[in-house]
Amino acid sequence: MPAPAESPFIKWFSEISVEDIPLVGGKNASLGEMFSSLAPKGVRVPDGFAITADAYRYFLRQAGLDAQIEAALAGLDTGNMENLSHRGSVVRQAILNATLPASLQALIAAAYAKMQAGITTPLDVAVRSSATAEDLPDASFAGQQETYLNVNGVSALLVATKMCFASLFTDRAISYRVDKGFGHSKVALSVGVQRMVRSDLACAGVIFTIDTETGFRDAVMISSAYGLGENVVQGSVTPDEYLVFKPTLKTGHRPLLQKTVGSKEFKLVYDTDGGRRVKNVPVPAGERLKPSLTDDEVLELARWACVVEDHYSAKRGRPVPMDLEWAKDGLSGELFIVQARPETVQSRRNLDVLETFHLARRGKVLASGRSIGTKIATGRVRVIRSVECIGQFEAGEVLVTDKTDPDWQPIMKMAAAIITNRGGRTCHAAIVSRELSVPAIVGTEHGTEAFRDGQMVTVSCSEGETGFVYEGVLPFDVERTDLKSLGHPRTRVMLNLANPEQAFALSFLPNDGVGLARMEFIVSNVIKIHPLALVGFDQLADPMAREEIERLTLGYADKAQYFVDKLARGVAMIAAAFHPKDVILRLSDFKTNEYANLIGGRAFEPAEENPMLGFRGASRYYHPRYQAGFALECRAVKKVREEMGLTNLKLMVPFCRTVEEGLKVQAELARHGLRRGENGLELYVMCEIPSNVVLAEEFCDIFDGFSIGSNDLTQLILGVDRDSEIVAPIFDERNQAVKRMIAHAIEVCRARGVKIGICGQAPSDYPDFAEFLVRQGIDSISLNPDTVLRTTLAILATERAMGAEEVRGVSALT
């Protein structure tokens, strides 16, 4: 690339490092750092140069603009939208009317000519604003100033440069600086001139090296859409989203945890006719349904993101999660990182205080989309369709609009909650909402049509990745726990977990892993299709079932692979969230009537009088009627453990009636490459049938551990149908018959040195039952997430009491 320029007004990326923020701003300093230090590590960054902050100041002095700007902004009230707009316009127009000094124009033209060398057609460049207070760890100025794409020729470059200078005084930038306490004269602007990556012919997007909703540090989140990346940044489209697990990615595995195809309605491309540089065009319907990146490209971007994060963390001596922009060149097929900055919201979160929002009851759902944050808010709706109308908004209202960009920021900070039609988890509305700690739901598609001004609503982002807007004001409470003051009991406290979407958030609860991961939730809520209807799709006679399966498995020539991929990703989300702690996955335990309700299921399930005691659990896995379905479960587990590297995943066999049946299941697992003891695979059995207790020693010989299922065990000991409301009062896990059986199972396991825990409902419902278990010496108690803190305190109190009793006993003896 060109030889270094001697002028203080032009600096090539090869001359710049992160130490140069005062000279070239945060964006350019970061580009220079990556170009110089990370290219040898395989990270591609397009070359370019920076027009320095000294050049900006020189321009202001030569044009006599300093005093004009100071006078125009003196005494400004950023809460007065009309006054803010007027003053900002005055400053911007003054800058645009001024002429760049001839010497500066010559230097810019010379630098552009060096970039142009060897290229016969006018070079197209991206012209990016880079403020000297930008991208600091405690303040994100991202999006406050302008970027101009597909700029061709010296004349256009000079105009774009001056427009970038003027954008330091957009209404949103002025307002943001005032809110953050930055003096206007203390912030200068540098301009980055970077070779364009032709992502208009491919795709582009955003990467975060931290989960943007929960602050989970071990995930890389990638958003992608067709065309230039501004649509993703601004939330103009709902992008594809991918999650990758960092620890096992770094060990050479392929841990693609999540793959969500967005609608990608439009793409931003070069405007070759209209003279506007770029324009949005519709994406053909068939193309929208396809992922914009291959799995290999996702993993390559994730690896680069880890390289960037590790580099910045090493320079600062502490973890630095990153916010990056990337692009794929449609001509060369190459991927590039085009921007990088520290993430400024989740990385500053106080992890010592756990804040949990609980909705007391659900109501009528008016709209849903991607939840941003984990809070709940209520308020009066204000639908605003155009930024020109933001003056109508009043503090404390719920903002409903199509999408936001930085021009909306002055009212976003006053909103109780924000709802948009478009956008994904990395769009402008999402990023700003997190920074403001305002709950938001993006990508509702029809939010502006679903609400009317003045309507009272409850916005809930506390139920996982999907956020819901409910009619009316619903009651909720907020639980705050100081985790530093919470002790760690000797008894392992684990979680019962079903929904993969909640795994990252729940991982912050004090825990020792997952004692029960329920496969059934993933099958019924994510996959939705009976596994045998996928294996035998060609023979499936039901036309409605075939049509629905075709819709859900779009893009899968091998229908069975759909089941494997979806199940693997759901299980992997849970295993990754708690890695390296144990995550115990219970193999499928649907009853025949529940299996029959899956799409295509009725053709494969017998009608049973008492499904609770029929063809369920272990008996299905080796039976010819379901062997092919169980094979898909095994393939998914193998993918999680071997391809994704999540060997903290353990397996548990439910409703195993006899020792012989346990051996048959193990033989079936081994047939599919899941042999107990190999690659650290542990195999547990549910202790939920009286035979499991009576023959506990024999079951200890063939399994690595027990997990007590108190619901079924109580049902079968007391002879009570737990689904019958008539005999429901008799169903009580605290009955002496049940407690004696449990005590015996614990005693046998302790004597044999085999692990035993409980994953049933009882300790979540009854603290005294948890106390009973602790006194019996159980190894672990797995709890529903909403009872973890309360029950942990009860366990700690019991252990302290037991310790005191032991001390008193010793004292009496001596």
Side-chain angles (χ1 to χ4, degrees):
M1 204 52 214
E6 295 181 1
S7 168
F9 296 160
I10 301 292
K11 293 292 179 184
W12 294 96
F13 288 170
S14 58
E15 301 177 89
I16 299 168
S17 75
V18 289
E19 312 302 327
D20 294 314
I21 290 177
L23 179 64
V24 296
K27 190 179 284 104
N28 286 335
S30 191
L31 283 169
E33 181 74 26
M34 289 193 297
F35 186 85
S36 301
S37 301
L38 300 184
K41 297 180 180 180
V43 180
R44 293 190 203 94
V45 179
D47 197 5
F49 63 89
I51 303 167
T52 66
D54 287 342
Y56 164 80
R57 295 188 183 97
Y58 175 66
F59 164 55
L60 294 191
R61 285 197 308 272
Q62 291 296 104
L65 291 169
D66 290 323
Q68 292 183 51
I69 293 171
E70 185 177 347
L73 298 179
L76 173 66
D77 176 11
T78 57
N80 185 328
M81 297 294 112
E82 187 176 343
N83 186 249
L84 171 63
S85 177
H86 172 72
R87 295 195 192 205
S89 177
V90 168
V91 174
R92 292 192 300 275
Q93 201 56 51
I95 293 173
L96 292 174
N97 288 340
T99 301
L100 290 173
S103 58
L104 180 57
Q105 292 188 43
L107 287 168
I108 294 171
Y112 179 77
K114 288 181 179 180
M115 288 185 72
Q116 173 78 62
I119 301 174
T120 55
T121 57
L123 175 71
D124 48 326
V125 294
V127 183
R128 305 180 185 277
S129 304
S130 181
T132 55
E134 188 176 46
D135 301 336
L136 302 178
D138 58 348
S140 173
F141 283 70
Q144 300 303 321
Q145 288 81 44
E146 298 292 355
T147 290
Y148 300 96
L149 304 176
N150 187 23
V151 176
N152 281 275
V154 173
S155 296
L157 174 57
L158 295 174
V159 170
T161 298
K162 200 161 56 169
M163 292 171 71
C164 283
F165 288 162
S167 74
L168 190 59
F169 296 95
T170 58
D171 298 351
R172 74 240 183 186
I174 294 169
S175 176
Y176 192 85
R177 283 197 296 275
V178 171
D179 292 343
K180 290 293 182 181
F182 285 85
H184 300 297
S185 62
K186 301 297 184 184
V187 180
L189 195 100
S190 170
V191 175
V193 180
Q194 187 179 37
R195 180 176 65 81
M196 280 289 294
V197 175
R198 291 300 304 270
S199 61
D200 59 305
L201 303 174
C203 55
V206 175
I207 307 174
F208 283 89
T209 63
I210 188 172
D211 182 63
T212 53
E213 304 315 315
T214 64
F216 182 75
R217 296 270 179 127
D218 282 338
V220 173
M221 193 179 80
I222 300 172
S223 298
S224 173
Y226 297 122
L228 301 169
E230 301 303 301
N231 274 349
V232 177
V233 175
Q234 295 179 6
S236 301
V237 297
T238 301
D240 300 336
E241 292 184 356
Y242 308 88
L243 272 177
V244 180
F245 186 54
K246 288 192 280 190
T248 57
L249 177 72
K250 292 178 179 180
T251 56
H253 293 88
R254 296 173 60 84
L256 180 51
L257 303 180
Q258 195 177 77
K259 182 178 179 179
T260 305
V261 178
S263 52
K264 306 184 294 292
E265 307 93 330
F266 301 95
K267 61 180 176 179
L268 195 65
V269 300
Y270 281 15
D271 183 7
T272 56
D273 301 319
R276 294 178 299 166
R277 290 192 293 266
V278 294
K279 64 179 179 181
N280 258 319
V281 298
V283 173
E287 201 174 342
R288 297 181 194 182
L289 301 173
K290 298 176 183 177
S292 50
L293 287 170
T294 66
D295 291 358
D296 286 343
E297 289 171 336
V298 170
L299 295 170
E300 182 173 15
L301 286 172
R303 281 189 285 268
W304 286 2
C306 290
V307 170
V308 174
E309 180 183 58
D310 290 346
H311 177 78
Y312 279 79
S313 298
K315 285 192 76 81
R316 297 196 179 181
R318 57 178 174 79
V320 181
M322 298 297 291
D323 167 2
L324 309 117
E325 293 181 28
W326 63 272
K328 178 181 177 181
D329 194 303
L331 297 176
S332 68
E334 293 177 316
L335 296 167
F336 292 87
I337 301 295
V338 297
Q339 284 193 47
R341 63 181 72 88
E343 193 274 345
T344 58
V345 180
Q346 290 294 351
S347 55
R348 289 186 287 146
R349 181 175 160 216
N350 181 3
L351 299 180
D352 293 327
V353 177
L354 183 69
E355 187 177 70
T356 311
F357 283 69
H358 301 285
L359 193 65
R361 58 181 173 82
R362 303 186 83 200
K364 179 183 177 182
V365 176
L366 302 177
S368 64
R370 300 301 293 259
S371 61
I372 306 301
T374 59
K375 293 185 175 181
I376 301 173
T378 61
R380 195 178 307 278
V381 164
R382 176 72 66 178
V383 180
I384 297 185
R385 300 179 187 275
S386 168
V387 71
E388 285 76 23
C389 302
I390 63 174
Q392 301 171 5
F393 190 80
E394 296 182 11
E397 292 181 327
V398 174
L399 172 62
V400 180
T401 189
D402 184 53
K403 69 180 183 72
T404 69
D405 58 35
D407 289 330
W408 292 74
Q409 206 150 313
I411 65 168
M412 294 173 75
K413 63 187 179 185
M414 300 189 293
I418 296 167
I419 301 166
T420 67
N421 292 342
R422 296 192 271 168
R425 292 202 295 166
T426 56
C427 71
H428 177 267
I431 291 170
V432 173
S433 295
R434 290 186 201 103
E435 184 172 339
L436 297 172
S437 197
V438 172
I441 298 178
V442 301
T444 62
E445 296 186 6
H446 308 293
T448 51
E449 308 303 324
F451 304 101
R452 64 181 187 277
D453 280 347
Q455 183 177 15
M456 297 301 295
V457 296
T458 298
V459 179
S460 173
C461 296
S462 66
E463 302 169 63
E465 289 187 0
T466 303
F468 299 95
V469 186
Y470 297 106
E471 185 176 50
V473 177
L474 301 180
F476 67 92
D477 61 79
V478 186
E479 183 180 8
R480 294 179 178 87
T481 305
D482 182 0
L483 299 180
K484 288 192 297 185
S485 63
L486 191 68
H488 194 285
R490 293 190 301 272
T491 308
R492 297 172 73 206
V493 176
M494 305 179 83
L495 303 185
N496 295 334
L497 189 54
N499 187 352
E501 291 184 359
Q502 297 179 323
F504 283 179
L506 294 175
S507 71
F508 290 96
L509 287 169
N511 71 84
D512 293 297
V514 175
L516 172 63
R518 295 186 178 95
M519 183 185 291
E520 296 79 27
F521 180 94
I522 301 169
V523 175
S524 61
N525 289 271
V526 179
I527 299 171
K528 303 179 182 178
I529 305 168
H530 194 289
L532 294 178
L534 293 165
V535 172
F537 178 74
D538 292 340
Q539 289 76 45
L540 191 63
D542 184 345
M544 292 184 64
R546 288 181 64 88
E547 182 180 348
E548 185 64 3
I549 292 171
E550 288 281 21
R551 185 184 69 81
L552 288 171
T553 62
L554 187 68
Y556 279 90
D558 178 1
K559 302 298 182 189
Q561 190 63 39
Y562 167 83
F563 186 97
V564 174
D565 287 349
K566 291 288 187 181
L567 180 57
R569 289 179 189 139
V571 170
M573 279 287 289
I574 300 173
F578 294 87
H579 184 274
K581 301 172 188 173
D582 286 355
V583 170
I584 303 172
L585 173 69
R586 185 177 68 189
L587 297 166
S588 62
D589 193 25
F590 281 126
K591 289 77 176 174
T592 50
N593 58 323
E594 295 167 335
Y595 264 122
N597 287 330
L598 295 172
I599 297 168
R602 300 203 179 277
F604 302 98
E605 296 298 328
E608 294 185 305
E609 290 296 326
N610 191 351
M612 191 75 77
L613 296 178
F615 190 41
R616 63 174 287 200
S619 63
R620 297 182 70 95
Y621 307 153
Y622 57 87
H623 196 286
R625 293 190 69 137
Y626 188 71
Q627 268 181 314
F630 185 63
L632 302 188
E633 296 181 32
C634 293
R635 283 170 56 188
V637 169
K638 190 174 172 66
K639 181 172 182 174
V640 173
R641 286 180 52 83
E642 296 184 9
E643 181 179 315
M644 300 188 187
L646 293 161
T647 54
N648 62 317
L649 183 69
K650 319 295 184 184
L651 297 181
M652 183 155 63
V653 179
F655 224 74
C656 184
R657 294 170 169 98
T658 68
V659 174
E660 293 73 22
E661 189 168 59
L663 291 171
K664 288 182 180 180
V665 171
Q666 291 194 33
E668 196 68 20
L669 286 166
R671 194 164 69 88
H672 295 289
L674 296 169
R675 192 178 301 276
R676 178 188 169 208
E678 287 187 1
N679 197 21
L681 177 60
E682 292 183 0
L683 193 60
Y684 291 73
V685 66
M686 289 288 291
C687 181
E688 55 188 345
I689 304 171
S691 62
N692 302 141
V693 181
V694 174
L695 298 175
E697 290 193 355
E698 288 81 353
F699 277 101
C700 281
D701 289 336
I702 65 168
F703 286 102
D704 298 296
F706 283 55
S707 186
I708 299 164
S710 56
N711 295 347
D712 270 335
L713 189 59
T714 301
Q715 173 179 243
L716 295 173
I717 290 174
L718 298 180
V720 174
D721 181 351
R722 73 187 199 196
D723 290 339
S724 169
E725 72 281 0
I726 299 173
V727 294
I730 303 172
F731 184 94
D732 190 343
E733 299 96 324
R734 295 169 296 178
N735 182 280
Q736 280 303 308
V738 179
K739 292 175 77 172
R740 286 184 186 180
M741 291 284 268
I742 290 174
H744 177 68
I746 296 172
E747 181 182 7
V748 170
C749 287
R750 285 175 63 84
R752 294 291 300 271
V754 172
K755 300 174 188 175
I756 184 165
I758 186 169
C759 61
Q761 185 68 28
S764 292
D765 288 345
Y766 309 117
D768 59 319
F769 195 85
E771 179 182 348
F772 156 74
L773 294 168
V774 172
R775 289 185 175 276
Q776 297 304 310
I778 199 163
D779 292 314
S780 64
I781 297 178
S782 197
L783 301 162
N784 295 339
D786 59 345
T787 66
V788 165
L789 297 174
R790 182 183 72 235
T791 309
T792 297
L793 291 171
I795 291 170
L796 285 164
T798 301
E799 291 180 348
R800 282 195 296 269
M802 290 171 65
E805 289 165 9
E806 290 175 12
V807 170
R808 284 196 297 272
V810 170
S811 299
L813 289 173
T814 56

